[in-house]
Amino acid sequence: MSASARHAGVAEIIVTDVARAPLELAESLGANGAYDSSQSAALGELTNGGGEMDLTLECSAQPAAIADAIAATGPCGTIVQVGMLGTETTAPLTHVVTKELNFRGTFRFDVEFPQAVRLIAERHIDVRPLISRRFPLAEAEAAFAMAQDHGRAMKVLFDLN
């Protein structure tokens, strides 16, 4: 998301996660700041007590992360929930209403898919740093094990050649 946001002209990109590796990767891809959201002090620094973000993309669908996104977003700001867990979740909707937030959801690629392919193919956005490792198909079990370890892997690919 950091590389896409930077390409789109976003001036300040702040990323949160609970694992160090994704935070370091986000910074290397252009994020201005990366915060461990499991640390309450870091979240307080991010939100300055009341939320200043104009646009927040929440990509984990974890209830605590959704609450953090709502807290970090300023009045009349927009939150985009990217994806979901597959089960119902909870969120502090009172704050969505009182801060007059725009809360949108997106799940599957639609009209943006051809644009994303073009930006990657033309190397406007370099996704190679996201690839943690390539595996031959014969090592599928190891590949799936690594893909489930979010501390070690961002994206795992199969090399079909």
Side-chain angles (χ1 to χ4, degrees), residues 69-129:
I70 292 168
T73 306
C76 299
T78 299
I79 299 169
V80 179
Q81 180 61 52
V82 181
M84 61 183 181
L85 293 174
T87 60
E88 290 299 319
T89 189
T90 60
L93 295 180
T94 301
H95 299 295
V96 171
V97 174
T98 58
K99 292 168 75 173
E100 298 185 3
L101 301 177
N102 300 298
F103 198 103
R104 300 186 52 119
T106 184
F107 186 61
R108 295 280 186 223
F109 296 106
D110 186 21
V111 297
E112 70 275 9
F113 189 78
Q115 179 185 15
V117 170
R118 182 183 56 75
L119 291 171
I120 293 167
E122 295 174 359
R123 304 281 178 151
H124 295 291
I125 296 178
D126 185 6
V127 296
R128 291 175 293 180

Side-chain angles (χ1 to χ4, degrees), residues 50-70:
E52 296 181 348
M53 301 298 142
D54 297 319
L55 172 65
T56 304
L57 305 177
E58 201 299 299
C59 304
S60 73
Q62 295 293 331
I66 295 169
D68 288 347
I70 292 168

